[in-house]
Amino acid sequence: MHLDIAWQEVDTVLLDMDGTLLDLAFDNYFWQTLVPETYGEQQGISPAEAQAFIRSQYSAVQHTLNWYCLDYWSERLGLDICAMTTAQGPRAVLREDTLPFLDALKASGKRRILLTNAHPHNLAVKLEHTGLASHLDLLLSTHTFGYPKEDQRLWHAVKEETGLQPERTLFIDDSEPILDSAARFGIRYCLGVTNPDSGLAEKSYLRHPGLNDYRQMIPSLTVKETP
């Protein structure tokens, strides 16, 4: 599925963070390897037992705000998830295509808004290590609204907060359920990232167009309209 964007009709670009602007390898390592290993060592159980338990805990709250909440997981698992996140901060890296795209959006007069389900501490650590904030116009964590992007109430709150017009907005994310949620709200362009984790095979989307390099969009974004 290909996405043709009428850029002259787009004012706002909403961007997810993990897997969209940053390499998802950080989060996949943290939640799928480091957390189960640390929990298993603390509890004195086997790696397989720890993995099975952690997986069951994740799936129980998937697509809710708790799934993204460091405080929730610290309490649930008895681990200092915030301290672990801080220690892993240097692993946070930008995708190669992120800054060229964000800079092209700025040059074209588009408003660049980060909309992440990441917990504010997680967001702060990643901003510190990537310098991402200086390439965005506004940074929003859904935790400040009390709903994740999977929830329609979040979209209404974001519209009220930012004044965005859904019909003049592009949204980029690496989760199909979240893209579905944005489309349901009326966001005109919803685009999926097919290579969120640089260490994994590309993924495909069933209901949305996908892209593996934002630099492919820059020529159409920066073309000057003929009078």
Side-chain angles (χ1 to χ4, degrees):
M1 209 186 304
H2 182 66
L3 182 64
D4 281 319
I5 300 172
W7 284 109
Q8 71 278 11
E9 297 172 20
V10 171
D11 302 323
T12 303
V13 180
L14 288 176
L15 301 135
D16 172 49
M17 181 170 68
D18 301 311
T20 299
L21 297 179
L22 305 188
D23 191 333
L24 194 62
F26 175 109
D27 294 83
N28 284 338
Y29 166 76
F30 188 92
W31 294 106
Q32 296 174 23
T33 301
L34 184 64
V35 167
E37 279 179 1
T38 308
Y39 182 79
E41 288 166 10
Q42 184 204 61
Q43 297 295 317
I45 58 177
S46 72
E49 288 173 312
Q51 280 282 1
F53 175 76
I54 295 293
R55 263 201 303 272
S56 72
Q57 296 302 303
Y58 290 166
S59 62
V61 294
Q62 196 170 8
H63 301 308
T64 71
L65 204 58
N66 278 342
W67 199 72
Y68 305 98
C69 183
L70 305 192
D71 303 318
Y72 171 84
W73 291 115
S74 294
E75 189 176 322
R76 189 77 192 83
L77 303 175
L79 302 174
D80 191 341
I81 299 291
C82 284
M84 289 168 65
T85 300
T86 301
Q88 294 298 316
R91 284 180 173 263
V93 293
L94 292 165
R95 293 171 52 96
E96 284 182 13
D97 52 350
T98 292
L99 294 189
F101 180 53
L102 292 180
D103 292 346
L105 288 174
K106 179 181 182 179
S108 303
K110 311 303 181 191
R111 185 166 55 148
R112 306 156 301 168
I113 299 178
L114 181 76
L115 182 61
T116 178
N117 277 337
H119 183 274
H121 177 77
N122 199 344
L123 173 58
V125 168
K126 288 171 176 173
L127 294 178
E128 178 190 341
H129 288 279
T130 62
L132 182 60
S134 62
H135 298 270
L136 294 159
D137 301 304
L138 184 62
L139 297 93
L140 301 175
S141 165
T142 59
H143 290 255
T144 61
F145 297 100
Y147 310 107
K149 285 182 277 188
E150 290 89 333
D151 191 315
Q152 288 296 296
R153 289 172 292 183
L154 180 277
W155 294 96
H156 288 281
V158 167
K159 180 184 178 185
E160 193 168 311
E161 174 85 9
T162 65
L164 69 80
Q165 297 175 269
E167 70 278 7
R168 298 185 66 85
T169 299
L170 162 66
F171 174 58
I172 307 177
D173 204 290
D174 65 316
S175 161
E176 185 130 57
I178 290 176
L179 291 166
D180 290 342
S181 183
R184 197 174 310 125
F185 179 66
I187 300 296
R188 179 174 176 182
Y189 295 115
C190 295
L191 179 63
V193 181
T194 60
N195 57 343
D197 183 327
S198 61
L200 297 179
E202 288 202 24
K203 60 189 278 188
S204 55
Y205 294 84
L206 298 174
R207 297 173 296 280
H208 303 279
L211 187 73
N212 65 7
D213 193 327
Y214 306 132
R215 288 169 290 204
Q216 296 170 18
M217 291 196 283
I218 292 176
S220 62
L221 170 62
T222 54
V223 70
K224 294 286 182 283
E225 291 175 57
T226 50

